[in-house]
Amino acid sequence: KAGVTQTPRYLIKTRGQQVTLSCSPISGHRSVSWYQQTPGQGLQFLFEYFSETQRNKGNFPGRFSGRQFSNSRSEMNVSTLELGDSALYLCASSLGGEPYNEQFFGPGTRLTVL
Amino acid sequence: AQSVTQLGSHVSVSEGALVLLRCNYSSSVPPYLFWYVQYPNQGLQLLLKYTTGATLVKGINGFEAEFKKSETSFHLTKPSAHMSDAAEYFCAVSGLSGGSYIPTFGRGTSLIVHP
């Protein structure tokens, strides 16, 4: 079974720009979650999508948004980029619905904002 | 609400020595606990998980963890460290939040293995 894939792997943007990151989950997984990972804050939950609906959301400003398509692929968008948005963005998929379902992570997209 | 505390942001051991990474959790309901490992430039990978039943859980790469309810702990151990174990380790607890189960991750512990 193919793992979780994320594109692009690396991205360099400047302040004020916007960016879209893509995630393809493991086949059959309906839940996709996004995390921001930084050295200072660790892993922070952004949002979770399940069957094209946002089911949960972390404490991030509205500049961070996402969506999920009917094939479970997901995208996240960050508008008006700030220097502090530089981070590794991780996508994770799971079967969803049960507390014991582990998450399967992609390799991440490293975003650098200049 | 649940939370996870990982004691020690860095742990340094010699190759062949015991590895002990500490994790304490807070949860208002019976917890589901996980340990993940992250190698450089990669995503997280599940090492092991505790759901119910046996409190000693065995995972991949020779790691195991013991769930101790009385101590609210889920420490990760490996009898003999290998150079390839050098990585970042994350403990997580799964809890219901806003209608779905979202894992809460600890801040991570970087394991350094000296030859």
Side-chain angles (χ1 to χ4, degrees):
Chain A
K1 227 179 205 181
V4 178
T5 58
Q6 292 186 246
T7 56
R9 290 293 311 276
Y10 301 91
L11 209 47
I12 299 176
K13 293 286 187 179
T14 56
R15 278 181 300 174
Q17 288 187 309
Q18 76 165 28
V19 67
T20 299
L21 313 182
S22 180
C23 171
S24 292
I26 290 173
S27 177
H29 285 189
R30 297 165 64 189
S31 169
V32 174
S33 297
W34 288 89
Y35 296 85
Q36 182 194 66
Q37 185 178 24
T38 60
Q41 300 297 321
L43 268 167
Q44 292 189 285
F45 172 71
L46 280 156
F47 29 65
E48 183 218 6
Y49 286 86
F50 185 85
S51 295
E52 302 180 64
T53 301
Q54 186 181 85
R55 193 163 67 167
N56 225 316
K57 190 176 189 303
N59 294 323
F60 277 81
R63 300 186 297 107
F64 293 82
S65 62
R67 59 177 175 168
Q68 187 180 34
F69 302 95
S70 59
N71 61 358
S72 291
R73 190 177 70 85
S74 177
E75 289 181 346
M76 69 162 279
N77 184 276
V78 187
S79 63
T80 319
L81 284 166
E82 301 177 358
L83 294 179
D85 297 333
S86 293
L88 180 68
Y89 290 88
L90 292 165
C91 164
S93 76
S94 76
L95 290 170
E98 300 295 342
Y100 47 77
N101 290 144
E102 68 261 34
Q103 297 200 315
F104 294 81
F105 284 79
T109 294
R110 185 162 297 281
L111 172 65
T112 302
V113 182
L114 303 176
Chain B
Q2 61 276 355
S3 65
V4 172
T5 301
Q6 291 184 241
L7 284 173
S9 58
H10 294 82
V11 169
S12 182
V13 300
S14 298
E15 193 173 20
L18 171 72
V19 175
L20 171 60
L21 304 182
R22 300 177 187 272
C23 172
N24 287 89
Y25 69 91
S26 170
S27 177
S28 57
V29 295
Y32 294 89
L33 298 158
F34 306 80
W35 274 101
Y36 288 85
V37 61
Q38 184 179 32
Y39 298 102
N41 298 316
Q42 294 185 29
L44 280 69
Q45 175 187 359
L46 182 71
L47 272 177
L48 49 81
K49 66 178 179 180
Y50 169 78
T51 54
T52 58
T55 57
L56 183 63
V57 181
K58 294 188 184 298
I60 62 172
N61 301 337
F63 284 94
E64 61 184 35
E66 187 172 11
F67 169 62
K68 291 186 176 181
K69 184 178 179 181
S70 61
E71 299 177 8
T72 61
S73 69
F74 190 55
H75 301 332
L76 182 71
T77 60
K78 182 174 180 177
S80 177
H82 192 272
M83 296 295 290
S84 61
D85 294 327
E88 189 86 14
Y89 292 80
F90 294 90
C91 181
V93 60
S94 180
L96 191 62
S97 173
S100 64
Y101 289 99
I102 299 297
T104 298
F105 288 87
R107 294 297 295 269
T109 297
S110 178
L111 177 63
I112 302 160
V113 183
H114 297 287

